[in-house]
Amino acid sequence: ADRNKMRDAARARGARLLMAALLTGASIARGGVARDRHRRVDAGAAAARSRSSLRSLGCALMLRGGRSKAEPTVFNSEQDEIVWEMLQGNREYVRQRKEAALDNGGHSHEYLQYLQEDGGGALRQVKVKALIISCARSFAPMDHIFGADPRALLSVRVAGYTCSAADSVIGSVEWALSDRTPPVLIVVGNSRNDIVATAVQHVMGGRAPHVLNEQLEKQLSDSSLLNLVMPAVHDAMQRRPRGTYEEVLALACEMNVWRTVETLLANSKAINESAANGSLRVVGALLDPSTGAVQLMGQHPSLAELIKSTPSGDLVRTADDAPVPAVEAAAMLYAGNSRYASSKGGYNSISGDEKLLCKLCESGQNPVSVVVGCADSRAPIEMLFDMRPGDLFVLRNAGNTCASNKGSLIGSAEYSITHLRTKVLVITGHTKCGAVTAAVEAVHNNIDLSSVAGSIGTLLADIIDAAKKAVATIPNATVVEQVQLATKFNVFNTIKKLIQYSDIVYTGVKVEELQLIGAVYNIFSGEIEWLGEHPEIEKLCGREMPMHRWNSTPYNTVQSWDNKSGRSARAVNAIRMMEDGNTRFVTGRWHYKSPTGLDVTPSVIVLGGSEYRVPIEDLFDVDPGRIIVQRVLGSVAGMQERTAFSSIEYSIARWAPPVLLVLVESSSPIIEAAIKQLRGQYLPLAPIRVVLNHVMVSALRAVQQAEKNSTLTSAGQELLITQLATELNCLYSMELLLKSKVVRERVLSGELELHAAIMDSGTGKVRFFGEHPRQMEIMRAAELRAKTYSTGLSATLPREDWGCPFEPLGDDDPALVLPNVDSQSSSPQKSRRGKFATV
């Protein structure tokens, strides 16, 4: 008995030390780092001690005899225990997969119980043990692969298991860290990854087998997603210059894991500091999809060097950044003013951060908005919007007006639009404006402005029309009330003049690329009253503007949509597969399934949120490989050329599925966070803001619409805001995707359909709602902008020759006709208007 106890103790101790050595990595031993102020861990010394102890304390005994059932589960750290449990779970998964014995073990009923408790919140109450970044095409959810409780894992999934600086992938990771820091972050690559394979074929040329046709290979080679994995391929080629295709591909898949880890540590202050102080362990792993086995790779070989330099925790906008869509810029300004008015501002200070100052100085500018404001010293533009240098292109004069000719203000605005790619102009008046007050008094006293000394009379002449209109509208009101109304009229007059006297502004507004928004700042409260676009914007531009109407008209909830089940036979079958699978899930009749091969053609791409923990493959009870699952915070599509967006475009081009499903959760914490931002919550970390800026578009529209409904109770208003914001967020992701040429071409050809769905957080039931109600208008507007700006953003349209809204791209143009597909046939049949009629 004593000998057995000694043997078990040796095995347990050997297991703990082996785990420490695996996780720490041999390369760390060559150079540990210690920084007192960040409580840096001397990982090198720890690894050396672990290896020395392993040799002398029974590692061989453990490896020879296996793990004893009587072994006590005692580990050096919580992270060791978590990774050990996950590896043991993976071993069991591989065993059951070989024996075709995978079973859900009754978890379906547990899922339903968890969902029903607290409206789905029970799934989020369990402590997250690990956050996993993996490929969108992994053939199984991570909780299956690691045999883990799905409530204890958060999953972020994009094609190529990659990321870039300040994108939605890093934002999703930092969101998890800011909520409840998981002890472990694992980047799980997969061998023979398709994106990496495409990059290897591109680099190796004739030495690599060409499994794709020439047209598809060229299309995929242009994907910006390949640029993210190319460094890993070049590293592999350097290490295996004469290696075979299989050897280079295997090594490139491993190197891509390290590249992703390096990007996380080099661009996220939260991840870097957590890894340095030991609260977060970032490790790499490689999944073999053919067997399901996971090989642990340990920590980054250069971890000690990576954590020496902490990246800046913030960002500044530079010319390298993508332009911000007008609706997102408007939401950012709204949230900024809410922070300022509620005394939670201060974001505009970057003093002392040399990295940001250097970047701002050397990398050019890319402001989110042009702001035309008054020169009044009581209306500080950057402060009242809580924006920092590089965010706003500010133009100021007394009375925030625009001269009735082409002058410096118009020229400055045109420069920002054409050269700095700004998409929104905000014309901001303010209360107690001296120039507007003087104009109103001039109307009352019938003053001849030409007799006013200097240039003041000329300035007031640009405001006098607004003053006259205000006095005529409310002749019996007080002067204060007339000045208030004249201030609003003056804002709209400035908008009108910008459109009237600038061909560049006129063109941008007409093709719905540019927005001009009016606002009035209260110098006492600090709050801004948002006036919106000019009430006669369509008349000023001489055309109907369907997307302007869509964004400015009260939104009816998704209940009013037509329940479309697909236009093509392939889409109908794919949606039916998802509906049937979800029915099995909510009734507790779903089961784990073993992958039968890696050549399965996916039928659906699902864009889902990383904030909810129900595995999407389980939610729809589909066979492995039948769906591609992309999961980022908020189910956002992101910006073009960024990781999440490029991942979707690549998947569409590569596998040509008939359906892209945008799936949102009915009760999402990211929606709640966006609403709080609009109400003046403190600003979160920079990568999280990347995601919130997308979600705030829908939240802002929901807040503004619900607050106008005075018949609602407080509870009713809050619930309505959440519902509207959730549905609109789903639609906004679809709007962004439809602006992609890759997506648009396939939708118009009938090869792809974009559908919306909402998962009930309390039941797991998924409701399918069909395509975007303004799908055709979105695509028409996108084609119109592409045609107009084919020669650059300085392009203008002649006013007198362009009266028809879609004359260059009318209904008779076959390129802009949505195919009417017979549900019994898989071939699209062209029609003039299509089944999805233009509204």
Side-chain angles (χ1 to χ4, degrees):
D2 290 341
R3 283 196 300 272
N4 288 338
K5 290 180 181 179
M6 292 174 63
R7 181 190 60 195
D8 291 341
R11 285 176 176 172
R13 192 171 183 184
R16 294 195 300 270
L17 294 169
L18 176 61
M19 194 71 247
L22 286 171
L23 294 174
T24 305
S27 61
I28 303 303
R30 293 193 291 269
V33 62
R35 291 175 63 181
D36 292 338
R37 64 191 182 95
H38 286 301
R39 304 191 307 278
R40 307 278 170 158
V41 180
D42 192 343
R49 288 195 300 269
S50 296
R51 289 196 304 276
S52 176
S53 300
L54 279 171
R55 288 191 293 267
S56 59
L57 293 176
C59 176
L61 183 65
M62 186 208 74
L63 294 175
R64 206 168 44 240
R67 186 179 181 185
S68 170
K69 292 182 180 180
E71 175 187 335
T73 54
V74 179
F75 294 88
N76 290 335
S77 69
E78 182 185 15
Q79 289 127 332
D80 289 352
E81 182 177 2
I82 289 172
V83 177
W84 178 263
E85 288 176 353
M86 294 178 70
L87 290 176
Q88 296 305 306
N90 178 250
R91 292 172 65 182
E92 181 65 16
Y93 169 77
V94 172
R95 184 192 66 79
Q96 292 188 16
R97 182 167 157 174
K98 284 182 179 179
E99 300 173 2
L102 287 175
D103 183 39
N104 62 11
H107 288 319
S108 58
H109 298 288
E110 293 180 12
Y111 264 140
L112 299 178
Q113 179 182 353
Y114 296 144
L115 287 168
Q116 292 165 3
E117 292 175 1
D118 192 27
L123 285 175
R124 288 191 288 268
Q125 290 174 2
V126 176
K127 181 180 179 181
V128 179
K129 292 184 177 180
L131 175 61
I132 300 178
I133 298 176
S134 60
C135 185
R137 187 160 165 79
S138 297
F139 293 91
M142 289 297 113
D143 67 302
H144 292 202
I145 290 172
F146 287 108
D149 184 344
R151 297 173 297 164
L153 299 182
L154 279 179
S155 183
V156 178
R157 297 174 65 175
V158 291
Y161 53 95
T162 186
C163 64
S164 59
D167 65 3
S168 55
V169 176
I170 296 182
S172 300
V173 174
E174 290 203 354
W175 172 271
L177 294 178
S178 66
D179 184 19
R180 297 177 184 178
T181 303
V184 177
L185 168 60
I186 308 178
V187 178
V188 180
N190 51 326
S191 59
R192 303 191 61 82
N193 181 268
D194 192 88
I195 294 87
V196 180
T198 304
V200 171
Q201 292 170 10
H202 182 75
V203 172
M204 295 188 71
R207 294 171 53 193
H210 291 270
V211 296
L212 307 175
N213 62 60
E214 184 176 346
Q215 181 181 359
L216 180 58
E217 190 170 326
K218 182 182 183 303
Q219 188 175 20
L220 294 178
S221 66
D222 295 334
S223 170
S224 58
L225 190 66
L226 291 189
N227 294 331
L228 295 177
V229 303
M230 276 298 179
V233 176
H234 290 306
D235 282 349
M237 291 293 293
Q238 288 288 330
R239 293 181 58 189
R240 297 285 190 277
R242 297 182 181 180
T244 65
Y245 167 75
E246 295 292 339
E247 291 173 338
V248 173
L249 174 58
L251 187 56
C253 289
E254 293 183 22
M255 298 307 299
N256 194 45
V257 171
W258 294 137
R259 184 218 162 265
T260 300
V261 173
E262 183 173 338
T263 303
L264 293 168
L265 292 169
N267 292 280
S268 170
K269 182 178 181 181
I271 298 173
N272 186 289
E273 290 188 340
S274 297
N277 64 33
S279 61
L280 176 69
R281 181 169 293 165
V282 185
V283 298
L286 199 64
L287 165 69
D288 185 348
S290 62
T291 64
V294 175
Q295 172 194 350
L296 188 68
M297 298 166 59
Q299 299 189 82
H300 194 284
S302 302
L303 176 64
E305 294 299 320
L306 289 173
I307 61 178
K308 279 183 180 179
S309 177
T310 304
S312 176
D314 218 328
L315 297 172
V316 290
R317 292 196 56 77
T318 69
D320 296 331
D321 294 310
V324 178
V327 287
E328 292 185 24
M332 292 166 63
L333 295 173
Y334 185 102
N337 177 251
S338 296
R339 289 193 302 272
Y340 172 76
S342 58
S343 301
K344 294 180 181 178
Y347 165 63
N348 53 358
S349 175
I350 60 173
S351 60
D353 194 326
E354 293 185 1
K355 293 180 181 179
L356 292 183
L357 290 171
C358 181
K359 189 175 182 181
L360 185 66
C361 177
E362 300 294 337
S363 302
Q365 59 175 321
N366 181 6
V368 300
S369 174
V370 175
V371 179
V372 178
C374 184
D376 194 301
S377 59
R378 300 167 295 175
I381 301 298
E382 284 87 356
M383 289 182 64
L384 66 92
F385 287 114
D386 196 31
M387 291 288 172
R388 59 176 45 187
D391 288 340
L392 302 180
F393 194 84
V394 179
L395 309 174
R396 301 178 70 172
N397 60 28
N400 47 273
T401 185
C402 176
S404 301
N405 53 47
K406 295 185 178 181
S408 61
L409 188 142
I410 289 179
S412 298
E414 289 178 340
Y415 170 78
S416 185
I417 294 167
T418 57
H419 290 78
L420 307 182
R421 302 171 295 165
T422 311
K423 306 300 181 186
V424 66
L425 277 74
V426 177
I427 291 79
T428 307
H430 68 94
T431 58
K432 309 291 184 181
C433 180
V436 176
T437 301
V440 171
E441 290 177 349
V443 172
H444 280 293
N445 299 323
N446 198 23
I447 296 176
D448 180 7
L449 296 180
S450 61
S451 63
V452 178
S455 300
I456 298 177
T458 304
L459 174 70
L460 293 179
D462 293 320
I463 307 174
I464 200 70
D465 288 342
K468 290 179 179 178
K469 185 176 180 180
V471 173
T473 303
I474 48 175
N476 298 323
T478 64
V479 172
V480 172
E481 292 171 334
Q482 291 174 342
V483 168
Q484 291 175 347
L485 184 59
T487 299
K488 297 180 181 180
F489 286 156
N490 183 50
V491 167
F492 285 128
N493 280 354
T494 301
I495 293 176
K496 182 177 180 180
K497 290 174 183 177
L498 285 167
I499 296 173
Q500 182 178 356
Y501 296 113
S502 170
D503 290 338
I504 289 174
V505 173
Y506 166 82
T507 301
V509 175
K510 194 161 191 173
V511 300
E512 300 186 86
E513 174 78 355
L514 187 67
Q515 281 190 14
L516 273 63
I517 301 174
V520 175
Y521 166 63
N522 188 312
I523 63 174
F524 175 76
S525 67
E527 296 179 352
I528 283 181
E529 178 186 358
W530 295 91
L531 306 179
E533 295 184 273
H534 196 288
E536 296 182 341
I537 190 70
E538 292 183 328
K539 182 178 179 181
L540 292 174
C541 293
R543 62 157 290 194
E544 293 182 357
M545 300 172 66
M547 291 311 297
H548 161 72
R549 293 186 180 185
W550 163 252
N551 289 318
S552 59
T553 303
Y555 165 74
N556 292 323
T557 65
V558 81
Q559 313 287 350
S560 62
W561 294 15
D562 293 332
N563 188 7
K564 295 183 178 295
S565 57
R567 287 180 283 108
S568 71
R570 292 180 65 211
V572 169
N573 292 334
I575 293 172
R576 185 180 298 123
M577 172 190 74
M578 304 288 276
E579 289 177 328
D580 293 346
N582 181 247
T583 299
R584 292 193 296 273
F585 175 82
V586 298
T587 55
R589 295 183 289 111
W590 65 283
H591 295 278
Y592 290 165
K593 298 175 176 65
S594 299
T596 57
L598 303 183
D599 56 350
V600 180
T601 301
S603 302
V604 181
I605 298 173
V606 180
L607 173 57
S610 63
E611 64 271 24
Y612 51 88
R613 305 184 198 173
V614 179
I616 291 178
E617 288 91 341
D618 293 351
L619 188 66
F620 295 109
D621 192 30
V622 293
D623 294 331
R626 290 301 304 275
I627 64 175
I628 298 171
V629 178
Q630 177 159 314
R631 301 189 71 165
V632 292
L633 190 62
S635 305
V636 299
M639 290 186 177
Q640 293 192 41
E641 305 297 327
R642 304 304 288 268
T643 307
F645 204 99
S646 299
S647 171
I648 295 174
E649 289 183 323
Y650 180 93
S651 299
I652 291 171
R654 174 66 177 86
W655 290 288
V659 174
L660 194 162
L661 183 70
V662 180
L663 176 69
V664 297
E665 185 184 8
S666 64
S667 179
S668 169
I670 190 64
I671 295 291
E672 299 172 11
I675 294 170
K676 289 179 180 178
Q677 281 296 304
L678 295 172
R679 291 173 173 169
Q681 187 76 11
Y682 285 112
L683 203 66
L685 297 170
I688 299 177
R689 295 201 300 271
V690 173
V691 180
L692 280 176
N693 290 342
H694 295 290
V695 182
M696 283 196 302
V697 172
S698 310
L700 176 58
R701 186 174 173 187
V703 168
Q704 292 177 329
Q705 178 174 329
E707 288 180 348
K708 292 178 181 178
N709 192 336
S710 59
T711 63
L712 294 171
T713 63
S714 296
Q717 186 179 82
E718 287 300 313
L719 293 173
L720 179 61
I721 288 173
T722 300
Q723 179 183 349
L724 294 178
T726 300
E727 295 175 9
L728 288 167
N729 183 50
C730 185
L731 291 171
Y732 184 60
S733 289
M734 299 172 77
E735 291 167 21
L736 291 175
L737 290 167
L738 287 168
K739 293 178 181 179
S740 162
K741 184 179 179 181
V742 173
V743 175
R744 236 175 20 250
E745 287 178 347
R746 282 160 177 75
V747 171
L748 289 169
S749 69
E751 300 173 46
L752 177 69
E753 297 178 21
L754 268 65
H755 285 254
I758 298 177
M759 183 193 82
D760 191 307
S761 301
T763 64
K765 178 66 176 176
V766 175
R767 295 177 296 160
F768 295 79
F769 295 107
E771 299 173 294
H772 195 293
R774 297 293 184 271
Q775 180 170 252
M776 181 57 72
E777 286 90 333
I778 296 168
M779 292 190 292
R780 286 181 181 275
E783 294 286 344
L784 193 59
R785 287 191 292 271
K787 183 181 181 74
T788 302
Y789 293 120
S790 59
T791 59
L793 294 176
S794 299
T796 60
L797 296 167
R799 298 171 188 260
E800 64 276 7
D801 297 332
W802 213 68
C804 179
F806 298 108
E807 185 176 350
L809 300 165
D811 277 342
D812 294 330
D813 189 338
L816 272 180
V817 177
L818 195 64
N820 186 12
V821 182
D822 185 354
S823 61
Q824 303 303 316
S825 171
S826 60
S827 59
Q829 305 293 325
K830 296 278 186 172
S831 68
R832 186 171 183 269
R833 294 186 64 85
K835 181 179 177 182
F836 199 93
T838 301
V839 178

